[in-house]
Amino acid sequence: MQILKKYKTRFEEYLQNNPFTGTPSELYEPVQYIMHLGGKRLRPAMAMMGYELFKEDIEKALPVAMAVEVFHNFSLVHDDIMDEALVRRGKPTVHKQYGDNAAILSGDVMLVLASQMITNLGDTDLIPPLIRIFNRAAIEVCEGQQMDMNFEQREDVTIPEYITMIGLKTAALLAASLEMGAVTAGADQADVQCVYDFGFQIGIAFQLQDDILDTFGDPEVFGKKIGGDIVQNKKTFLILKALEVADSKQRQRLEELMNTPTEDEKEKIEEVTNLLKSLDIPAFAEAEKNKYKKLAFDSLNKVNGSNSGKAVLKELAELIVGRDI
Amino acid sequence: MQILKKYKTRFEEYLQNNPFTGTPSELYEPVQYIMHLGGKRLRPAMAMMGYELFKEDIEKALPVAMAVEVFHNFSLVHDDIMDEALVRRGKPTVHKQYGDNAAILSGDVMLVLASQMITNLGDTDLIPPLIRIFNRAAIEVCEGQQMDMNFEQREDVTIPEYITMIGLKTAALLAASLEMGAVTAGADQADVQCVYDFGFQIGIAFQLQDDILDTFGDPEVFGKKIGGDIVQNKKTFLILKALEVADSKQRQRLEELMNTPTEDEKEKIEEVTNLLKSLDIPAFAEAEKNKYKKLAFDSLNKVNGSNSGKAVLKELAELIVGRDI
């Protein structure tokens, strides 16, 4: 995580200096709560890195860094209501702590506050393009979340559909974070497009790595319970690929397991994990992830940005597709 | 409603020509559903009227008219979840029809779509000021909704606090609708401020009239069940004023009624209504409403806009504080 440390420190300082206070306090307290639950601050770091490709004074990127982090946390607040999740980063989720109504309304105000941070930028010319990027990504995240919910009800999800879904739900915002940093630094349109492509492709790799770690990760490093996706019968890349390459008997057993509410968690995780291993799914997933990593590096190589800035993004990409993020 | 008809017709036509379609359909269908439940289209009309004060080609105001109507409907979708309301304009509410999760997520995307309509305007210079007005009003609506929820738990709400709450929850968006129309027409800052003030003050009068009609209105004309606020123990202007002017015995009885879940609706409505009448509350409410109407007209008189445009707004104001909207 060394590469992220500098950006995280700078961002946390900015967050401390810009608290979410306002009236009525019942509206703003949940915002302050979720924003201070911590996390890697990956999106703010990417906004700053996108800026740093073209200019050095990265404090200029802090308002957009904050905007993308506030938006990301808004999406966590509302997703946690929908998923009935009770714990986030080891603490009660916002709706568990403050109730569903407060979580809905505080989430709403976060979505507007994120946009407002962009309109507070001194350089008025930057506002229209940045708001356009922000709104497009925000809409895509909603579309991705809806697709994800639809998949829970469907038996015939394909791998291309899954990639489309994670592109919308996860990669679009990572890409927009980088893009907004680049636009804030005044990058030209061709470079902005390549930066976006890099962010989008590495975002797909990020989610595939998340799928891999959720089943095959080291619980000490991953930070979440291993096997959560299996327990929730989530149709991740691993499962969809397994359904594709399994013989009919294996497919039948996997579908049976996926269609049954989990009774013995440990037993189910073990059986599914062993099945995935026997089908060589970890290797398929690594190959898919590396395909997107390669695309991402190709995009980054086209950017006319500083060598030091590109080196930082390459290191970030290695970290994302690696083992400890 | 004659005055509104021209604007409503123009808006409905625009709405027909710009349907909310997109993928996945589960996200966009609830948007299309709520946007076509009808209504007076008061906010779009006000956006067009704000434009018409300064320029004649009102079709230029249609994108901002749509933005404020989409935002207003977003707030209805999320408020109806929070209030557990089952019926809206004679039809099932969005969460009743599509489920809570779809209502949360479709509401979220509406908030972004409203902002996106503004960024789609051809004149880029208009985008920063319009987005700033939109975001400020959106934040105020959230603050007003939270204050309203807080009041349910409080016994000591004052009339000034109530006026602040309805200013945020209702008047801010009506004012912003007019303001966005005026800004789109290129009005200067002093005029924009007076237009906003008019909209805000008439917005307060609008909510006070709504309070009056909810208890003393003609059910045929009002369109909602009379006495709904009394059944829900809502602390409206009528109740707060009654608590202020009542003698100790009357106050005790009113507090008792307000703190008891409603058993016999008809009986409770009758008792509270009679108490309000005996305390002359309708006259107090009329006086308060007319105070804001007077302030609104004073603001409108300061605007350097067309006489025909000002005449339309005066007619609208009379309609709003009158009996049949």
Side-chain angles (χ1 to χ4, degrees):
Chain A
M1 298 266 220
Q2 201 53 38
I3 180 81
L4 285 175
K5 204 181 165 191
K6 163 180 136 188
Y7 304 95
K8 185 172 153 76
T9 303
R10 194 73 192 78
F11 179 76
E12 297 290 347
E13 188 187 79
Y14 186 71
L15 185 62
Q16 286 297 335
N17 293 335
N18 294 277
F20 294 89
T21 51
T23 311
S25 60
E26 291 82 354
L27 182 66
Y28 290 97
E29 211 185 284
V31 183
Q32 184 75 353
Y33 174 82
I34 180 89
M35 287 302 296
H36 284 82
L37 280 188
K40 297 182 292 283
R41 311 298 189 186
L42 180 59
R43 291 154 195 85
M46 288 175 82
M48 287 185 261
M49 289 172 182
Y51 186 94
E52 228 180 356
L53 273 170
F54 305 99
K55 277 191 185 168
E56 285 178 8
D57 50 342
I58 59 167
E59 68 279 3
K60 291 265 174 65
L62 283 166
V64 295
M66 184 64 89
V68 295
E69 185 67 1
V70 170
F71 176 81
H72 174 58
N73 279 274
F74 140 79
S75 74
L76 299 180
V77 171
H78 279 193
D79 285 6
D80 283 342
I81 305 172
M82 297 182 226
D83 299 343
E84 299 176 32
L86 301 178
V87 178
R88 162 81 50 196
R89 295 180 184 137
K91 293 274 169 66
T93 50
V94 169
H95 69 100
K96 173 76 179 145
Q97 184 75 5
Y98 298 98
D100 281 5
N101 286 358
I104 292 172
L105 197 58
S106 295
D108 292 343
V109 86
M110 289 175 84
L111 183 43
V112 187
L113 289 171
S115 176
Q116 197 181 46
M117 281 156 199
I118 299 167
T119 58
N120 284 345
L121 285 175
D123 186 347
T124 305
D125 289 346
L126 288 175
I127 296 172
L130 287 173
I131 293 281
R132 284 194 189 106
I133 297 166
F134 176 81
N135 283 344
R136 192 200 53 221
I139 289 168
E140 288 176 337
V141 169
C142 291
E143 291 175 347
Q145 170 68 3
Q146 183 66 54
M147 278 187 88
D148 198 14
M149 295 197 297
N150 290 351
F151 287 179
E152 287 173 25
Q153 315 298 327
R154 282 181 48 194
E155 300 295 317
D156 57 350
V157 179
T158 66
I159 288 175
E161 284 180 313
Y162 180 74
I163 299 290
T164 299
M165 185 277 280
I166 64 175
L168 293 165
K169 186 169 171 171
T170 303
L173 182 61
L174 294 172
S177 300
L178 273 176
E179 187 184 12
M180 287 169 71
V183 166
T184 305
D188 72 30
Q189 227 177 327
D191 283 332
V192 167
Q193 183 63 51
C194 294
V195 167
Y196 181 88
D197 292 344
F198 166 79
F200 190 83
Q201 290 144 347
I202 210 67
I204 300 278
F206 174 81
Q207 186 57 50
L208 292 169
Q209 175 68 357
D210 203 63
D211 289 359
I212 295 168
L213 293 179
D214 196 275
T215 299
F216 298 106
D218 176 346
E220 295 286 309
V221 183
F222 186 48
K224 283 191 273 188
K225 200 182 64 176
I226 296 299
D229 288 347
I230 294 173
V231 172
Q232 289 175 63
N233 300 319
K234 284 199 88 170
K235 298 177 185 85
T236 65
F237 178 86
L238 308 181
I239 298 293
L240 297 173
K241 191 73 195 174
L243 290 168
E244 190 183 294
V245 301
D247 64 30
S248 65
K249 206 179 137 201
Q250 290 167 320
R251 185 179 308 111
Q252 206 182 335
R253 179 61 188 146
L254 187 53
E255 282 171 347
E256 197 173 56
L257 283 162
M258 297 281 295
N259 290 324
T260 316
T262 306
E263 276 183 20
D264 185 326
E265 288 197 4
K266 195 160 164 271
E267 201 178 289
K268 180 169 181 171
I269 292 171
E270 199 177 312
E271 184 177 350
V272 174
T273 303
N274 286 336
L275 183 61
L276 294 174
K277 277 187 193 159
S278 76
L279 292 167
D280 235 358
I281 300 303
F284 282 113
E286 287 291 324
E288 186 79 1
K289 185 182 76 182
N290 286 322
K291 187 178 93 182
Y292 284 97
K293 178 187 163 186
K294 166 101 181 45
L295 287 170
F297 276 72
D298 291 347
S299 299
L300 186 60
N301 285 332
K302 289 185 208 146
V303 176
N304 292 304
S306 70
N307 286 331
S308 60
K310 288 161 91 163
V312 167
L313 282 175
K314 279 180 187 163
E315 206 176 331
L316 177 76
E318 293 292 354
L319 181 71
I320 280 176
V321 300
R323 282 269 145 208
D324 68 341
I325 193 167
Chain B
M1 297 262 220
Q2 201 52 38
I3 180 80
L4 285 175
K5 203 180 167 191
K6 162 180 137 189
Y7 304 95
K8 184 172 154 76
T9 304
R10 194 72 194 78
F11 179 76
E12 296 291 346
E13 189 187 81
Y14 186 70
L15 184 62
Q16 287 296 337
N17 294 335
N18 293 277
F20 294 88
T21 51
T23 314
S25 60
E26 291 83 355
L27 181 66
Y28 290 97
E29 211 183 285
V31 183
Q32 184 76 355
Y33 173 82
I34 180 90
M35 287 302 297
H36 285 80
L37 280 189
K40 297 181 294 281
R41 310 300 187 185
L42 178 60
R43 290 154 196 82
M46 288 175 82
M48 288 184 260
M49 290 172 183
Y51 186 94
E52 226 180 359
L53 273 170
F54 305 99
K55 278 191 184 167
E56 284 178 10
D57 50 342
I58 61 166
E59 69 278 3
K60 291 265 174 64
L62 283 166
V64 295
M66 183 64 90
V68 294
E69 185 68 0
V70 170
F71 175 81
H72 174 59
N73 279 274
F74 140 78
S75 75
L76 299 180
V77 171
H78 278 193
D79 285 5
D80 283 343
I81 306 172
M82 296 183 228
D83 299 342
E84 299 175 33
L86 301 177
V87 178
R88 161 82 52 197
R89 292 175 184 141
K91 294 274 170 65
T93 49
V94 169
H95 69 101
K96 172 77 179 145
Q97 183 75 7
Y98 299 98
D100 281 5
N101 286 358
I104 292 172
L105 198 56
S106 295
D108 291 343
V109 87
M110 288 175 84
L111 183 44
V112 188
L113 289 171
S115 176
Q116 197 181 46
M117 280 156 199
I118 299 168
T119 59
N120 284 345
L121 286 175
D123 186 347
T124 305
D125 288 346
L126 289 175
I127 297 172
L130 288 173
I131 294 281
R132 283 195 190 107
I133 296 165
F134 176 83
N135 283 344
R136 192 200 53 219
I139 288 169
E140 288 176 337
V141 169
C142 291
E143 291 175 348
Q145 170 69 3
Q146 183 66 52
M147 277 187 89
D148 199 13
M149 296 196 299
N150 290 352
F151 287 0
E152 288 173 24
Q153 315 300 326
R154 282 181 48 194
E155 299 295 318
D156 57 350
V157 179
T158 66
I159 288 176
E161 284 180 314
Y162 179 74
I163 299 291
T164 300
M165 184 277 279
I166 64 176
L168 293 164
K169 186 168 172 171
T170 303
L173 183 61
L174 294 172
S177 301
L178 274 176
E179 187 184 12
M180 287 169 71
V183 167
T184 305
D188 71 29
Q189 226 177 327
D191 283 332
V192 168
Q193 183 63 50
C194 294
V195 167
Y196 181 87
D197 291 344
F198 166 79
F200 190 83
Q201 289 144 348
I202 211 67
I204 300 278
F206 173 82
Q207 185 57 52
L208 291 170
Q209 176 68 357
D210 203 63
D211 289 359
I212 295 168
L213 292 178
D214 197 275
T215 299
F216 298 105
D218 176 345
E220 294 288 308
V221 184
F222 188 48
K224 281 191 274 190
K225 201 181 65 177
I226 297 299
D229 287 348
I230 293 172
V231 172
Q232 289 174 65
N233 301 319
K234 284 198 87 170
K235 298 176 186 86
T236 65
F237 178 85
L238 309 182
I239 299 293
L240 296 174
K241 192 70 195 175
L243 289 169
E244 192 183 293
V245 300
D247 64 28
S248 65
K249 206 179 137 201
Q250 290 166 320
R251 186 179 307 113
Q252 204 181 336
R253 179 62 188 148
L254 188 53
E255 281 172 349
E256 195 173 58
L257 283 161
M258 297 282 294
N259 290 324
T260 316
T262 307
E263 278 185 17
D264 185 326
E265 288 197 6
K266 194 157 162 277
E267 201 177 289
K268 181 170 182 170
I269 292 170
E270 200 177 309
E271 184 177 351
V272 173
T273 304
N274 285 336
L275 184 61
L276 294 174
K277 276 186 193 160
S278 75
L279 291 169
D280 234 358
I281 300 303
F284 281 113
E286 287 292 325
E288 185 79 1
K289 186 182 75 182
N290 286 323
K291 185 178 95 182
Y292 284 98
K293 178 187 163 187
K294 166 99 181 44
L295 288 171
F297 276 73
D298 290 347
S299 298
L300 186 59
N301 285 331
K302 289 186 209 146
V303 176
N304 292 303
S306 71
N307 285 331
S308 61
K310 286 161 91 163
V312 167
L313 282 175
K314 279 180 189 167
E315 207 176 331
L316 177 77
E318 294 291 354
L319 181 72
I320 279 177
V321 300
R323 284 267 144 212
D324 67 341
I325 192 166

